[in-house]
């Protein structure tokens, strides 16, 4: 019950008005029901200012303005109903809106459930409580009130399934918060896979889910159409395989995501499923698919490392081509790698680790450790830069044995395995070689005996001359037309030379492994189709971003362009399939960023190569050249607080790069002294890593750089991808603590943005983001036009009539679906909600009337019962009073009788005494009379006296006896009465 106020003669009075009575009175009005149905419901009327409200009093026979304030969930404005009271009847005269002169968009109204940006959780849902021009006040679910612009608010689908949708194209509102909420809901249910059209989003669960990847699950997805079963990585692999078989066209699966998102594990699952589908086709006891699968542990051991974000992070890009014969059997395979992080060999930051192979070798059996003169990882400079030596839940000793077994499967002989680990051990020993100042100026020498020991051990493992190895580290040979000059290096330069040799050896070793795996597996020259699996690093942006991050982000820009074109192509295919017009849909490309990086001349890579070609160039001169060249480029930003950093606005956000080591990391050449030293090694394996370079090639070859070589590799990769039918898997890391059941919205949103998922959504929103089949559309919006649904129209015609009735424009009707523009679904939902609210209002009114009547009847029954009880209590009290009164009367009666009887007995006793005295007196008088008679009479008297005296004695004796008996009788009777009185009195 609420109070309302009205001004009467300058005074404000208040009166409580029951909700049920208001609803009942309004219900009696026949004409204005259509107007009143604009109201959400008849909640209790809230107190309002005097200028907006008046007293709703049924006792006043005059016009009254009734203000109904709708509840907070109502999307309608406040309405005033002008009514007049006639006894027992309300009549409506007019209705008009008192607020909302500047109305919000149709889909953002008061009471609408919306999403609004939040710094902590990215997006938070709430309810619009007030709109003011282009702004709205929102009551969020965490109890806060937020004011936001209407352009930055997105509607929320309150009818979304509790478990989310498996394909986000089914979302009623395809926007950032809707996508984020759907992924979060599914992740909480351990549903880690979700589609966005044909794109699979895989959220890392950070726990084992073996039931998702067993043989039974593989058989379950075999041959199943995409979308028929729950989203799964097997479904993507199966679609790629079926398209390759049916259409005889190569396919590719692109797996991307940031470190720790699960790319490597996803790639393993893909290859396992393709091996399951591809059957068996191999020779010499080792099948092709076995070698492909076992190549993963080998490449992981030498190409993966622990980073801050992931315990098994791939530090290189990998593209696996799995070739199939005409029967769909795996007949060959090839592995291509991209941009191994060579700097990690020499530089490791805490708490990361170097490449796994170093730790595996340190945990090898004791005879191997003694053979290579190894020890604990903390004894080696290349490993002890970080305090992390072991991984939780991982045994390096067991992984070492597993890597050895995998090498056997992929065809690496025992001798080659020994040579590989001998080279790895030599790199560790090289890292422990330290230098100090030599005798000559700017010269260097070995620091101590420990350094000499490690240098000698490295030379023994590499099977090269000890003196030549020391000279290669401490000296440089400069060849001039006149003479050959040997220049000594200072200790710092010698350390740089040592690290450069270690990085070069490791890079060549990794390339040899990839080449050996490819040769061992073998490629099928007769294969006409293949499935490529790309495991590539995701977009990276750290506090410090160097050359590796630049190349990684350049790769992602290329892949993002390919991704955008593919998504746009899928949109076009969908529109063409449904025969709708799509020519006016815009498509935004990121070609300007790619031109900034790779364009010739004038791109960043070109300018970097030019800087590397000049000996006197430094990172400062390189940065200044960038500033001068790209001053007006909208994607290039010069930081205000740095003279050498530069910022590039990528598709996923701005990244600031530090150019300090760009030149050194871009140079792709081997020091001639290192080349000559190792090519002359007595170990054929080491010499094979450094084959002699023909003199003609050396003279004719131009400058080579990592950037240019990577650019060429990337172009070849894009050509391969463009020749295949791509399928995309976007891996997402839900949290940075690498623990299950934690979903960090801001982190996930950034990854979706970096992975291009939000860009795909933007492309979809540029066309027709909301698509519903005719049946789904009619089932959802038939309430808007029930007369159309009741008619005998086809589904397509019914959809058209519903849309025409709603007055929407710009939509498209396909063959099987309705295509709606961005925002139109929200508008239809708003009208549907209004329609439902009107119906709900009528139902609420009836129910409230029913509930009020039930309450009244209950109160009536309770009143009757209460009255009955009260009356019974009163009668009981009256009866008790009457009983007490009757008892008192009885007591009084008996007491009065007793008193009367006692009085009677006293009177009786007195009478007897009086009678006795009177009789005695009469006898004495008579006796005296007789004495006065004559003597004659004396005798007579004596005789007679004798006779009388005798008679008198007898009579007296009889009288006494009679009196005694009579008095005894009366006494006994009186005694009984007294006993009865005593009994009554005692009761």
């Amino acid at each position: 019950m609420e109070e309302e106020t009205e001004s009467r003669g300058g005074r404000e009075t208040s009166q409580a008005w029951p909700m049920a009575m208001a609803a009942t009175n309004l219900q009696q009005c026949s004409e204005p029901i259509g107007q009143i149905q604009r109201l959400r419901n008849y909640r209790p009327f809230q107190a309002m200012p005097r200028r907006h409200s008046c007293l709703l009093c049924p006792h006043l026979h005059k016009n009254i303005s009734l203000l109904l304030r709708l509840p907070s969930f109502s999307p309608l404005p406040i309405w005033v109903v002008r009514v007049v009271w006639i006894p027992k009847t309300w009549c409506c005269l007019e209705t008009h809106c008192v607020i909302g002169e500047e109305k919000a968009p149709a889909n953002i109204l008061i009471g609408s459930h919306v999403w609004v940006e939040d710094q902590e959780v990215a997006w938070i849902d709430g309810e619009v409580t007030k709109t003011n021009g282009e702004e709205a006040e929102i009551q969020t679910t965490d109890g806060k009130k937020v004011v936001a612009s209407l352009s930055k608010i997105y509607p929320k689908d309150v009818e979304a399934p509790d478990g989310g949708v498996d394909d986000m194209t089914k979302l009623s509102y395809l926007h950032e918060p809707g996508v984020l909420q759907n992924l979060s809901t599914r992740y909480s249910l351990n549903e880690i896979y979700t589609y966005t059209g044909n794109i699979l989003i895989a959220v890392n669960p950070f726990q084992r889910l073996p039931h998702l990847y067993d043989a039974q699950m593989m058989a379950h997805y075999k041959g199943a159409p995409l979308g028929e079963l729950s989203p799964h990585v097997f479904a993507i692999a199966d679609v790629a395989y079926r398209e390759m078989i049916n259409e005889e066209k190569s396919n590719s699966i692109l797996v991307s995501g940031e470190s720790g998102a699960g790319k490597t594990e996803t790639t393993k699952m893909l290859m396992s499923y393709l091996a399951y589908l591809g059957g068996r086709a191999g020779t010499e006891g080792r099948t092709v698919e076995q070698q492909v699968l076992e190549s993963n542990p080998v490449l992981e051991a030498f190409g993966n490392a622990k980073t801050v974000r992931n315990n098994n992070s791939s530090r290189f890009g990998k593209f696996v081509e799995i070739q199939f014969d005409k029967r769909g059997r795996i007949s060959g395979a090839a592995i291509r790698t991209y941009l191994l992080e060579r700097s990690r060999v020499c530089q490791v930051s805490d708490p990361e680790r170097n490449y796994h192979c170093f730790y595996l070798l340190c945990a090898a059996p004791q005879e191997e450790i003694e053979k290579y003169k190894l020890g604990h990882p903390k004894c080696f400079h290349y490993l002890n830069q970080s305090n992390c030596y072991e991984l939780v839940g991982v045994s390096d000793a067991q992984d070492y044995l597993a890597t050895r077994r995998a090498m056997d499967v992929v065809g690496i002989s025992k001798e080659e395995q020994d040579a590989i680990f001998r080279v790895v051990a030599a790199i560790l020993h090289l890292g422990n070689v330290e230098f100090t100042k030599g005798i000559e100026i700017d010269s260097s020498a070995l620091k101590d005996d420990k350094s000499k020991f490690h240098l000698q051990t490295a030379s023994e493992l590499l099977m090269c001359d000890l003196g030549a190895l020391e000279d290669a580290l401490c000296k440089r040979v400069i060849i001039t037309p006149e003479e050959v000059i040997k220049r000594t290096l200072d200790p710092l330069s010698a350390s740089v030379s040592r690290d450069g040799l270690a990085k070069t050896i490791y890079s060549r070793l990794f390339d040899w492994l990839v080449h050996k795996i490819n040769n061992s597996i073998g490629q099928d020259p007769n294969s006409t189709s293949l499935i490529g699996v790309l495991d590539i690093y995701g977009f990276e942006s750290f506090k410090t971003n160097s050359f590796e991050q630049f190349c990684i982000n350049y790769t992602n820009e290329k892949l993002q362009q390919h991704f955008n074109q593919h998504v746009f192509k899928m949109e076009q295919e969908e529109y063409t399939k449904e025969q709708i017009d799509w020519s006016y849909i815009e498509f935004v490309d990121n070609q300007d960023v790619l031109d900034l990086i790779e364009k010739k001349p004038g791109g960043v890579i070109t300018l970097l190569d030019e800087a590397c070609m000049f000996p006197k160039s430094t990172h400062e001169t390189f940065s200044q050249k960038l500033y001068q060249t790209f001053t007006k480029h909208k994607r290039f930003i010069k930081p205000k607080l740095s003279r050498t950093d530069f910022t590039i606005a990528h598709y996923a956000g701005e990244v600031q790069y530090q150019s300090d080591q760009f030149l050194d990391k871009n140079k792709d050449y081997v020091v001639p002294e290192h080349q000559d030293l190792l090519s002359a090694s007595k170990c054929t394996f080491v010499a094979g890593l450094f084959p002699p370079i023909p003199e003609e090639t050396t003279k004719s070859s131009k400058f080579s750089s990592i950037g240019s070589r990577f650019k060429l590799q990337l172009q070849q990769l894009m050509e391969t991808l463009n020749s295949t039918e791509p399928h995309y898997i976007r891996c997402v890391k839900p949290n940075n603590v690498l623990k299950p059941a934690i979903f960090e919205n801001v982190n996930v949103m950034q990854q979706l943005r970096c992975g291009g998922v939000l860009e795909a959504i933007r492309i979809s929103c540029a066309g027709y983001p909301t698509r519903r089949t005719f049946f789904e559309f009619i089932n959802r919006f038939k309430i808007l036009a029930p007369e159309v649904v009741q008619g005998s129209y086809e589904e397509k015609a019914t959809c058209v009539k519903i849309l025409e009735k709603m007055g929407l424009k710009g939509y498209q009707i396909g063959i099987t679906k309705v295509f709606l523009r961005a925002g139109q679904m929200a508008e239809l939902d708003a009208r549907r909600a209004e329609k439902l609210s009107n119906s709900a209002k009528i139902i609420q009114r009836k129910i409230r009337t029913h509930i009020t009547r039930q309450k009244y009847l209950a109160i009536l029954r309770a009143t009757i019962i209460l009255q009955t009880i009260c009356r019974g209590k009163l009668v009981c009290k009256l009866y008790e009073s009457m009983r007490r009164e009757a008892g008192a009367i009885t007591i009084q009666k008996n007491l009065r009788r007793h008193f009367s009887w006692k009085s009677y007995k006293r009177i009786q006793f007195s009478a007897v005494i009086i009678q006795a005295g009177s009789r005695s007196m009469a006898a004495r008088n008579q006796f005296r009379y007789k004495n006065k008679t004559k003597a004659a009479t004396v005798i007579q008297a004596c005789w007679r006296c004798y006779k009388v005296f005798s008679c008198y004695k007898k009579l007296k004796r009889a009288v006494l006896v009679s009196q005694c008996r009579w008095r005894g009788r009366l006494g006994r009777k009186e005694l009984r009465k007294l006993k009865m009185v005593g009994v009554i009195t005692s009761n």
Side-chain angles (χ1 to χ4, degrees):
M1 184 179 296
E2 299 286 343
E3 293 186 352
E4 293 193 337
T5 59
E6 178 195 27
S7 177
R8 294 183 184 178
R11 296 180 304 167
E12 289 189 355
T13 61
S14 64
Q15 177 178 346
W17 181 247
M19 173 184 67
M21 184 176 292
T24 306
N25 290 335
L26 288 174
Q27 185 181 0
Q28 296 176 2
C29 178
S30 59
E31 179 182 356
I33 285 298
Q35 297 290 344
I36 296 176
Q37 286 179 353
R38 297 297 307 275
L39 303 172
R40 180 72 169 179
N41 56 23
Y42 302 118
R43 305 284 289 189
F45 311 128
Q46 298 178 356
M48 295 296 293
R50 289 174 54 189
R51 63 181 182 274
H52 284 162
S53 64
C54 64
L55 180 64
L56 179 61
C57 180
H59 304 291
L60 301 178
H61 296 193
K62 62 179 182 180
N63 292 350
I64 299 172
S65 292
L66 168 62
L67 179 65
L68 298 182
R69 175 177 289 277
L70 305 183
S72 59
F73 58 81
S74 172
L76 302 177
I78 296 177
W79 288 81
V80 165
V81 183
R82 188 70 173 177
V83 296
V84 63
W85 167 258
I86 300 174
K88 298 184 180 180
T89 307
W90 284 96
C91 294
C92 180
L93 301 181
E94 61 177 350
T95 61
H96 62 278
C97 183
V98 298
I99 64 173
E101 295 178 357
E102 294 181 5
K103 295 183 180 179
N107 56 340
I108 304 294
L109 300 173
I110 296 177
S112 298
H113 291 268
V114 297
W115 293 101
V116 64
E117 284 186 294
D118 184 83
Q119 293 183 352
E120 296 181 358
V121 296
W123 293 94
I124 188 170
D125 60 327
E127 186 179 314
V128 177
T129 58
K130 185 188 300 182
T131 57
N132 183 16
E134 295 300 322
E135 293 184 345
E137 182 179 294
I138 300 149
Q139 181 77 31
T140 60
T141 52
D142 59 358
K144 299 180 182 179
K145 285 190 176 181
V146 180
V147 177
S149 173
L150 291 177
S151 60
K152 297 182 179 180
I153 297 175
Y154 294 97
K156 178 184 178 182
D157 186 10
V158 295
E159 298 183 6
D162 295 336
V165 296
D166 56 4
D167 189 345
M168 287 191 286
T169 59
K170 298 178 182 178
L171 291 173
S172 298
Y173 304 118
L174 190 59
H175 45 51
E176 286 188 15
V179 170
L180 188 65
Q181 173 66 16
N182 190 65
L183 289 177
S184 176
T185 301
R186 290 179 60 80
Y187 183 73
S188 64
L189 302 175
N190 268 343
E191 296 287 345
I192 62 174
Y193 295 114
T194 307
Y195 291 130
T196 300
N198 292 334
I199 305 166
L200 180 68
I201 299 177
V203 185
N204 194 339
F206 291 118
Q207 59 180 327
R208 298 288 181 183
L209 300 174
H211 65 283
L212 288 181
Y213 309 106
D214 54 15
Q216 183 178 359
M217 188 64 68
M218 290 183 180
H220 192 53
Y221 277 89
K222 184 177 181 180
L226 186 67
E228 181 177 306
L229 301 177
S230 299
H232 201 288
V233 65
F234 292 162
I236 298 296
D238 192 83
V239 169
Y241 181 80
R242 301 301 166 191
E243 288 185 0
M244 180 196 68
I245 296 297
N246 298 332
E247 302 179 10
E248 297 183 355
K249 182 180 179 180
S250 297
N251 282 251
S252 59
I253 303 175
L254 285 72
V255 184
S256 64
E258 74 168 39
S259 179
K263 301 186 300 297
T264 301
E265 293 299 321
T266 300
T267 303
K268 291 180 184 178
M269 301 304 171
L270 287 170
M271 296 173 66
S272 299
Y273 187 77
L274 292 175
Y276 169 78
L277 294 177
R280 298 289 179 264
T283 58
E284 300 180 0
R286 295 192 305 268
T287 61
V288 174
E289 58 270 19
Q290 282 180 337
Q291 297 180 71
V292 172
L293 294 176
E294 290 299 328
S295 67
N296 285 323
V298 178
L299 294 178
E300 285 183 14
F302 290 86
N304 288 25
K306 179 192 181 303
T307 63
V308 177
R309 298 185 175 183
N310 184 11
N311 290 342
N312 189 32
S313 175
S314 299
R315 308 317 299 163
F316 66 100
K318 178 176 65 176
F319 184 70
V320 182
E321 294 182 357
I322 303 177
Q323 300 167 344
F324 295 84
D325 57 21
K326 295 181 179 180
R327 296 180 299 170
R329 304 261 183 166
I330 296 178
S331 58
I335 299 175
R336 301 180 190 174
T337 59
Y338 304 93
L339 195 66
L340 177 71
E341 188 181 4
R342 301 197 306 175
S343 61
R344 180 171 291 271
V345 177
C346 306
Q347 298 175 355
V348 182
S349 59
D350 196 30
E352 297 185 350
R353 292 207 320 175
N354 211 316
Y355 289 104
H356 294 325
C357 61
F358 296 113
Y359 304 91
L360 301 185
L361 187 57
C362 291
Q366 187 62 32
E367 60 271 14
E368 303 253 349
I369 294 178
E370 295 176 355
K371 177 181 178 182
Y372 302 128
K373 299 180 181 180
L374 299 175
H376 193 273
K378 65 181 179 181
C379 301
F380 298 98
H381 172 66
Y382 286 162
L383 304 182
N384 61 19
Q385 300 174 38
S386 169
N387 293 322
C388 180
Y389 302 110
E390 298 178 353
L391 300 179
V392 178
V394 177
S395 172
D396 290 329
Q398 294 180 1
D399 286 351
Y400 173 79
L401 299 177
T403 303
R404 284 278 199 171
R405 289 192 296 270
M407 287 181 170
D408 292 336
V409 175
V410 298
I412 301 177
S413 64
K414 295 292 184 181
E415 294 76 12
E416 290 173 334
Q417 294 180 32
D418 292 339
I420 289 171
F421 286 106
R422 190 165 59 249
V423 170
V424 173
I427 294 174
L428 290 178
H429 286 290
L430 273 177
N432 282 7
V433 177
E434 298 180 357
F435 301 93
T436 185
K437 291 183 178 181
I439 300 175
E440 300 178 2
I441 300 175
D442 292 337
S443 65
S444 59
L446 296 178
K447 184 177 180 180
D448 50 24
D449 294 338
K450 179 181 177 182
S451 297
K452 293 179 181 179
F453 167 76
H454 287 292
L455 183 65
Q456 182 179 358
T457 304
S459 66
E460 293 174 356
L461 292 174
L462 295 175
M463 295 185 181
C464 60
D465 184 69
L466 177 61
L469 177 59
E470 183 177 358
D471 290 342
L473 296 178
C474 299
K475 298 179 181 179
R476 285 290 177 270
V477 176
I478 302 175
I479 301 176
T480 64
E482 292 81 13
E483 59 180 339
V484 177
I485 303 174
K486 284 190 175 183
R487 181 174 64 88
T488 59
L489 301 177
D490 57 32
L492 179 60
S493 299
S495 298
V496 173
S497 176
R498 174 204 65 195
D499 293 342
L501 177 60
K503 290 188 289 186
T504 301
I505 294 175
Y506 193 83
S507 177
R508 294 290 182 92
L509 175 62
F510 186 79
D511 292 341
W512 182 91
L513 280 172
V514 175
H515 182 70
K516 179 64 177 180
I517 291 173
N518 287 335
N519 289 339
S520 177
I521 296 175
Q523 300 189 41
D524 183 8
N526 299 321
S527 175
T528 58
S529 56
L530 60 87
I531 294 179
V533 180
L534 178 65
D535 178 4
I536 203 73
Y537 16 64
F539 189 89
E540 292 185 352
S541 178
F542 306 121
K543 291 183 179 180
T544 301
N545 301 285
S546 189
F547 182 70
E548 290 84 4
Q549 281 70 42
F550 175 78
C551 293
I552 288 173
N553 294 341
Y554 168 44
T555 303
N556 281 272
E557 285 286 356
K558 273 285 192 182
L559 294 175
Q560 182 62 29
Q561 185 185 50
H562 181 268
F563 177 73
N564 290 349
Q565 292 173 351
H566 174 68
V567 172
F568 188 61
K569 180 181 177 182
M570 288 194 303
E571 291 287 311
Q572 291 178 345
E573 290 177 351
E574 178 72 12
Y575 299 155
T576 303
K577 177 182 176 181
E578 292 289 330
Q579 298 181 5
I580 67 171
D581 183 15
W582 48 267
S583 58
Y584 52 87
I585 298 175
E586 297 180 357
F587 171 63
V588 179
D589 199 359
N590 61 340
Q591 186 61 45
D592 54 347
V593 183
L594 296 175
D595 291 340
L596 170 67
I597 297 174
E598 66 181 6
K599 188 177 181 181
K600 285 188 177 182
V604 175
I605 294 179
T606 303
L607 295 178
L608 180 61
D609 290 346
E610 291 177 359
C612 292
M613 292 170 62
F614 294 97
K616 295 184 179 181
S617 295
T618 62
H619 66 278
E620 290 90 351
T621 59
F622 168 65
S623 299
Q624 294 301 321
K625 184 66 174 178
L626 292 179
Y627 298 156
Q628 296 173 5
T629 306
F630 304 114
T631 302
K632 298 181 179 180
H633 201 289
K634 63 180 182 179
R635 295 281 192 168
F636 186 89
I637 303 171
K638 178 183 177 182
K640 296 181 180 180
L641 302 178
S642 176
R643 295 183 178 180
T644 58
D645 295 356
F646 63 94
T647 302
I648 296 179
H650 292 282
Y651 73 93
E654 297 180 358
V655 180
Q656 183 171 338
Y657 298 99
Q658 287 70 40
S659 63
D660 300 352
Q661 299 180 2
F662 263 55
L663 273 66
D664 294 335
K665 293 182 178 181
N666 186 52
K667 295 177 181 178
D668 183 27
Y669 65 89
V670 180
V671 177
E673 290 79 2
H674 299 170
Q675 174 71 32
D676 297 338
L677 171 70
L678 297 177
S679 61
S681 172
K682 296 179 182 179
C683 177
T684 56
F685 179 82
V686 176
L689 296 179
F690 294 86
I693 302 175
E695 185 177 354
E696 297 79 6
T697 305
T698 305
K699 293 181 179 180
S700 61
S701 61
K702 298 181 180 179
F703 172 78
S704 177
S705 68
I706 296 291
S708 298
R709 186 157 60 90
F710 182 71
K711 176 183 174 182
L712 180 61
Q713 288 180 336
L714 192 56
Q715 289 176 351
Q716 295 174 351
L717 173 63
M718 298 311 299
E719 290 175 0
T720 302
L721 294 179
N722 290 330
S723 64
T724 63
E725 183 65 27
H727 305 271
Y728 291 91
I729 298 178
R730 292 295 190 244
C731 297
V732 176
K733 182 170 67 173
N735 59 76
N736 288 324
V737 295
L738 310 182
K739 293 182 179 180
I742 300 176
F743 194 89
E744 298 174 353
N745 289 355
V746 177
N747 185 26
V748 173
M749 182 57 64
Q750 178 63 21
Q751 292 179 67
L752 294 178
R753 188 175 290 111
C754 295
V757 177
L758 300 184
E759 183 66 14
I761 293 173
R762 190 200 62 77
I763 293 175
S764 298
C765 290
Y768 301 94
T770 305
R771 303 154 194 184
R772 290 290 183 271
T773 62
F774 294 149
F775 174 77
E776 293 175 347
F777 184 83
I778 295 173
N779 189 52
R780 185 179 181 92
F781 298 111
K782 61 185 178 182
I783 190 175
L784 298 177
E787 69 282 357
V788 176
V789 179
Q790 292 175 359
S792 57
Y793 298 103
E794 295 182 353
E795 289 184 340
K796 184 174 183 179
T798 302
C799 295
V800 172
K801 289 185 177 295
I802 292 175
L803 291 169
E804 288 178 350
K805 183 178 180 180
M806 293 299 101
L808 296 183
K809 296 181 180 180
Y811 61 86
Q812 293 280 355
I813 302 295
I815 299 177
T816 61
K817 297 179 182 178
V818 176
F819 292 79
L820 300 177
R821 284 285 193 180
Q824 290 184 337
M825 187 71 175
E827 184 176 352
L828 288 173
D829 276 339
R831 298 189 183 184
R832 178 173 175 267
E834 181 181 355
K835 190 80 172 179
L836 290 174
S837 68
N838 291 338
S839 301
K841 175 203 61 180
I842 297 174
I843 296 173
Q844 288 174 349
R845 183 180 64 191
K846 298 292 186 182
I847 290 178
R848 285 171 182 159
T849 302
H850 173 73
I851 292 174
T852 304
R853 172 143 184 93
Q854 292 298 319
K855 288 182 179 179
Y856 165 74
L857 293 176
I859 293 173
L860 180 61
R861 287 192 295 269
T863 303
I864 293 173
I865 295 173
L866 184 61
Q867 289 177 346
T868 303
I869 294 173
C870 291
R871 287 170 181 165
K873 289 289 185 181
L874 292 174
V875 170
C876 289
K877 288 184 178 181
L878 181 60
Y879 168 76
E880 182 67 18
S881 176
M882 294 175 66
R883 191 176 69 83
R884 287 177 176 273
E885 183 179 358
I889 292 173
T890 302
I891 293 172
Q892 290 175 357
K893 177 185 68 175
N894 293 331
L895 189 59
R896 286 169 182 163
R897 184 180 62 182
H898 174 69
F899 290 156
S900 299
W901 174 253
K902 289 182 70 177
S903 178
Y904 164 75
K905 291 302 291 181
R906 285 195 301 267
I907 294 171
Q908 183 186 32
F909 182 73
S910 299
V912 170
I913 292 175
I914 292 172
Q915 287 176 356
S918 299
R919 288 171 180 168
S920 297
M921 186 180 292
R924 284 191 297 268
N925 290 332
Q926 186 178 2
F927 176 73
R928 280 190 300 269
Y929 172 74
K930 289 178 178 181
N931 287 330
K932 290 177 179 182
T933 61
K934 293 178 176 182
T937 59
V938 171
I939 299 170
Q940 290 179 355
C942 288
W943 174 249
R944 290 176 182 169
C945 182
Y946 172 76
K947 292 177 68 173
V948 171
F949 185 73
S950 298
C951 182
Y952 165 74
K953 283 185 177 182
K954 292 180 182 179
L955 179 63
K956 182 178 179 181
R957 190 179 294 109
V959 170
L960 288 174
V961 172
S962 297
Q963 285 180 348
C964 289
R965 288 181 178 177
W966 177 252
R967 287 173 183 170
R969 180 181 179 186
L970 291 178
R972 285 191 296 271
K973 184 176 182 181
E974 185 67 22
L975 180 61
R976 282 194 299 269
K977 289 181 181 181
L978 290 174
K979 286 183 178 181
M980 290 178 64
V981 171
V983 172
I984 293 173
T985 304
S986 63
N987 293 333

